[in-house]
Amino acid sequence: MIKFISVEELLPLRNTVLRDGKLTPNECRFPTDKLDGNFHLGYFIKGELASIASFHPQSYGQYKGNGYQIRGMATSEKYRGEGIGTRLLNFGLVYLREQRANYAWCNARKKALKFYQDIGFDIVSPEFDIPGIGPHYAMYAKIQ
């Protein structure tokens, strides 16, 4: 089941998956987590939070219209490879279409490129490094 959730609900999974459990959940907050227009999604399996993603209004580069950045996309290792992240992200993109967003973008970890490309995102930047996290690419998907 996919639900809109609070940032507090997703912090433990964000820490475990994206920061290898090296921080406290509170240290895994993004400055954008409380912006107006922001929302967080969670995919639950038998009451367990299995996958998360955060979306916030943010333009990117030369792209026109209403853009949303996807941040903190993570799926518990226990559930990887089952299509849960894909279903969660597609739900978010459909919701953004209903909100009249024109595009979505993200800074994707190098190891997640195929995941985003399979959903329809294109690479729109050269590779860049986020210190302490690793190589990334900016990726873009037109919504409408």
Side-chain angles (χ1 to χ4, degrees):
M1 171 194 314
I2 297 172
K3 299 189 320 185
F4 290 88
I5 61 174
S6 71
V7 69
E8 287 73 21
E9 290 175 274
L10 64 74
L11 289 174
L13 187 58
R14 191 185 275 176
N15 181 37
T16 299
V17 175
L18 300 178
R19 301 297 184 259
D20 297 322
K22 295 177 181 173
L23 304 175
T24 66
N26 202 44
E27 291 174 297
C28 294
R29 290 180 187 275
F30 299 146
T32 54
D33 278 337
K34 297 276 185 174
L35 288 178
D36 286 341
N38 194 13
F39 63 96
H40 310 281
L41 295 176
Y43 192 111
F44 291 83
I45 298 175
K46 296 179 182 173
E48 180 182 355
L49 185 56
S51 188
I52 56 172
S54 297
F55 302 76
H56 72 272
Q58 177 70 46
S59 61
Y60 179 80
Q62 77 278 11
Y63 298 103
K64 304 286 185 225
N66 298 320
Y68 270 76
Q69 183 181 13
I70 302 161
R71 293 194 72 182
M73 180 90 205
T75 299
S76 171
E77 190 164 340
K78 176 179 175 181
Y79 296 108
R80 284 191 202 139
E82 297 182 19
I84 292 165
T86 299
R87 288 191 291 275
L88 182 71
L89 186 51
N90 280 328
F91 181 96
L93 294 173
V94 168
Y95 180 77
L96 288 175
R97 183 178 298 119
E98 293 168 358
Q99 303 307 306
R100 307 233 186 273
N102 300 100
Y103 64 92
W105 68 279
C106 64
N107 290 326
R109 291 173 188 229
K110 189 174 184 176
K111 66 183 180 181
L113 290 179
K114 183 174 177 357
F115 168 79
Y116 287 104
Q117 287 172 321
D118 288 350
I119 293 173
F121 281 74
D122 295 314
I123 297 170
V124 294
S125 78
E127 182 179 309
F128 60 94
D129 189 67
I130 296 179
I133 299 173
H136 284 67
Y137 291 85
M139 299 190 78
Y140 164 94
K142 183 176 180 177
I143 295 175
Q144 56 188 358

